[in-house]
Amino acid sequence: MISLKTDYLKGFVAPDELRGISSAVRKAHDDLHQRKGKGAEFTGWVDLPSRISSDLIKELTDLGSGLAQENDCIVSIGIGGSYLGIRATLEFLGNPRLPVYYAGHNISGEYLHELLKVLETKRFTVVVISKSGTTTEPALAFRVIKGLMEKKYNPAELKQRIICVTDEKKGALRALANKNGFRSYVIPDDVGGRYSILTPVGLVPLALAGVDIQGFVDGAKKAQAEYAKCDVESNPCYRYAALRNLLYAKGKKIEVMSSFYPNVFYVAEWWKQLFGESEGKDHKGIFPASLIMSTDLHSMGQLIQDGERTLFETFMSIDKPRQDVRIPSDKEDADGFNYVAGKTLDFVNKKAYEATAAAHFEGGVPNMTISLSQADAAHLGQLYYFFEKACAISGYMLGVNPFDQPGVEAYKKKMFALLKEG
Amino acid sequence: MISLKTDYLKGFVAPDELRGISSAVRKAHDDLHQRKGKGAEFTGWVDLPSRISSDLIKELTDLGSGLAQENDCIVSIGIGGSYLGIRATLEFLGNPRLPVYYAGHNISGEYLHELLKVLETKRFTVVVISKSGTTTEPALAFRVIKGLMEKKYNPAELKQRIICVTDEKKGALRALANKNGFRSYVIPDDVGGRYSILTPVGLVPLALAGVDIQGFVDGAKKAQAEYAKCDVESNPCYRYAALRNLLYAKGKKIEVMSSFYPNVFYVAEWWKQLFGESEGKDHKGIFPASLIMSTDLHSMGQLIQDGERTLFETFMSIDKPRQDVRIPSDKEDADGFNYVAGKTLDFVNKKAYEATAAAHFEGGVPNMTISLSQADAAHLGQLYYFFEKACAISGYMLGVNPFDQPGVEAYKKKMFALLKEG
């Protein structure tokens, strides 16, 4: 279950105001579901969960089991939406069957040098994820890693060890896959990068790492049904979208996602891309930032408590973490914490969260909490869909096209010009 | 060498304006150096580099060499200023002699459970870093890890494997160290947590991990001399402090530290604590955020290029990274990148940076670049001092006490009340 707690918006957003924008929410909902809003050609993700075939899930699950024997690790090559969701899922769930190394998500020579040192002694399979096959970062990383593989493996084995996730028909990677007979999977045309975690972009590497992709998809499917109704009262996904728009209109320009669960770190990175890239345009949009507590309470906590009152906070909580540690009694009791001996760390962690949410509220920071009852694949699948839909509704309410990213061309044009100068 | 490039402030800050605030810079400088500003009792870091004794450096270096034989790893227990600088240094420099695991920087039961699994089979020494010894996170982590050590080691060996960095006389950890005869080092009273990386807080764990702490301190010493002169033209440290204040006054409320070098990630985290905790008070202060490129160009790039025009950017560049990878030629050239074959990844990375800085400037984001000529311990020591001093000057110019953190008590009070309720 995913729940949304909004007690600490009291005095910042009145219940009337939420009801007052219900027609804007309705319009966003209709635009999205009737595919008549901006960027409607990229809304294939809306009913994607219910369209994922059980054959694909079975094929990928079997493929993953098969590869587990003959590989020490997986290398996932991709950037942006072809990187963050995969990493977010694996780090959130922890302990994959096969470790996954990432490449093609930066242009760092030092990073790739260190990765090559590791890969030299490992048996590995590469998943290259790129719609076009010509995105600079993954293309260059794939070149270099393919070079290493050509030294390690004979052509027949090499062919088995490269899997492409790319366009159905067009592009350099599709051509390469077809020519060389690499196993390949299709990125649909109607789902943009940041909404692609439930397409083969996410499902292929996750299945290879041993994630329960059936549960993952089932969670998203549940979300598709649960968040379909246009009602800000009963639908927490729409409620979240509406509330953040109200807060933004009141001058809350920064949304800080805070979690006391370190495994949420990359989920927050994924969320930043989703909301930042969807809403940050036309000189508007909330600036998304993230904090991992209690680490960052000891760095950014001061500013959140007492700095400019232009931010709001969204906590991500987990009711039952997978593991916990009991606090031992200590006969010296030098630190004076014997009074919590016998309790668990998560007990203390949750008190720290409760205290922080209350203190920030009293300090002038409106905040909400999204809670997952469990930290498993199903709940994460549900959460991704929750945010995807909230982002689309929120973007439409803001008046932007939440499915394009015109601003990313500016540096690319300049970069290619500079590269061609040499 | 550290240089500051400010070409892309053109049209945002006029040279006149910089000269116009020179008296404010002068006042901040005098307040700091004559110890008459707010929080003057915590300005021991100003001349700390020149006060670090060569005996201490030798002792710690020898201690580190000695421990290298009988340990598989080090466990560094601390939070905030007793965590971020250590991790920033080790991740920036890469490949430590002994790997370092972190604990006590969160209250996650799952994190500690996973760490205990790793430590069970390792020989390790613990460094516990806490001024009081009663900070919740490190205290609880130390309790649990000491429990594991008591099972693994006999009392004599246990005693050798615990090193405390704490107050000279007061506090729970000092008492524990004295009573048990643990080796200990002193956190001076006149240096606050976020300015403490050059005290034993940083030097002890860094020496154990095999960092060249002599070079590190020499770099900071060089910075102490180089950034002593009160002149915004010739002193890049003061120039940076003055410029960010001018930008803030013009409505640039968010400073994004962007780097194309992934090993800068934790340096940016350290920088966020330094500036966020020093300036985020009295309902003012720049909100510090960070991006690692080109990863985050594919997530937050759109918003930086086209979102609200309330931010400025500070790039962190490295002239000569330690390692690089040459781009191979490919006979198929499916991706079309043969035109950069023979060049290195860092060549492409730097073009991406140049293109990004230019595109963001043209899109309305003023930006500066701080460049390190090399990524070694000496340059990092210099950089830390650069930022510490810039932060103090900047905070004084803003009119706040850059050395206190009154806001962090709010959640702590509530947390202890909740914990005591049980």
Side-chain angles (χ1 to χ4, degrees), chain A residues 105 110 137 143 179 248 253 283 294-295 302 306 308 322 328 332-333 335 338 362 407 414, chain B residues 105 110 137 143 179 248 253 283 294-295 302 306 308 322 328 332-333 335 338 362 405 407 414:
Chain A
H105 61 305
E110 181 157 337
E137 294 87 345
R143 268 187 179 232
K179 187 175 157 199
Y248 181 61
K253 305 286 196 172
H283 292 191
S294 59
T295 306
Q302 165 64 38
D306 275 346
E308 285 211 13
R322 275 181 308 260
E332 299 183 277
D333 196 28
D335 57 24
N338 266 355
E362 288 172 17
K414 285 181 190 291
Chain B
H105 61 305
E110 180 157 338
E137 294 87 343
R143 267 187 181 234
K179 186 175 160 200
Y248 181 60
K253 304 286 197 174
H283 292 191
S294 56
T295 306
Q302 165 65 37
D306 276 346
E308 286 213 14
R322 276 181 308 260
E332 299 182 274
D333 197 27
D335 57 22
N338 266 354
E362 288 172 16
Q405 51 282 332
K414 285 181 190 293

Side-chain angles (χ1 to χ4, degrees), chain B residues 221-375:
Chain B
K221 218 185 274 185
K222 190 182 159 197
Q224 186 187 327
E226 214 160 282
Y227 307 134
K229 200 178 160 197
C230 183
D231 179 357
V232 286
E233 299 295 334
S234 67
N235 183 339
C237 169
Y238 283 39
R239 195 175 168 84
Y240 170 66
L243 287 168
R244 61 195 298 286
N245 264 281
L246 283 169
L247 289 163
Y248 181 60
K250 288 166 186 275
K252 304 300 178 190
K253 304 286 197 174
I254 299 171
E255 179 175 6
V256 179
M257 175 170 283
S258 294
S259 183
F260 282 73
Y261 295 89
N263 61 335
V264 170
F265 178 86
Y266 275 98
V267 175
E269 291 298 303
W270 173 87
W271 168 89
K272 281 195 248 180
Q273 177 183 6
L274 181 65
F275 280 88
E277 201 167 46
S278 298
E279 295 190 322
K281 52 195 63 159
D282 309 341
H283 292 191
K284 49 190 177 179
I286 294 169
F287 185 94
S290 66
L291 298 176
I292 291 298
M293 309 299 202
S294 56
T295 306
D296 292 337
L297 270 181
H298 293 250
S299 64
M300 290 283 289
Q302 165 65 37
L303 180 147
I304 305 293
Q305 188 71 44
D306 276 346
E308 286 213 14
R309 303 298 74 186
T310 50
L311 48 88
F312 70 99
E313 207 170 6
T314 300
F315 290 96
M316 276 291 312
S317 190
I318 294 167
D319 295 343
K320 278 184 215 144
R322 276 181 308 260
Q323 301 289 351
D324 208 348
V325 168
R326 204 163 288 283
I327 298 162
S329 182
D330 188 288
K331 58 181 188 305
E332 299 182 274
D333 197 27
D335 57 22
F337 277 109
N338 266 354
Y339 75 98
V340 288
K343 308 273 188 191
T344 70
L345 278 185
D346 194 56
F347 169 82
V348 179
N349 206 26
K350 286 205 162 61
K351 298 298 181 195
Y353 147 67
E354 287 170 32
T356 303
H360 289 180
F361 168 68
E362 288 172 16
V365 180
N367 64 77
M368 306 183 257
T369 297
I370 296 169
S371 299
L372 301 189
S373 50
Q374 275 178 274

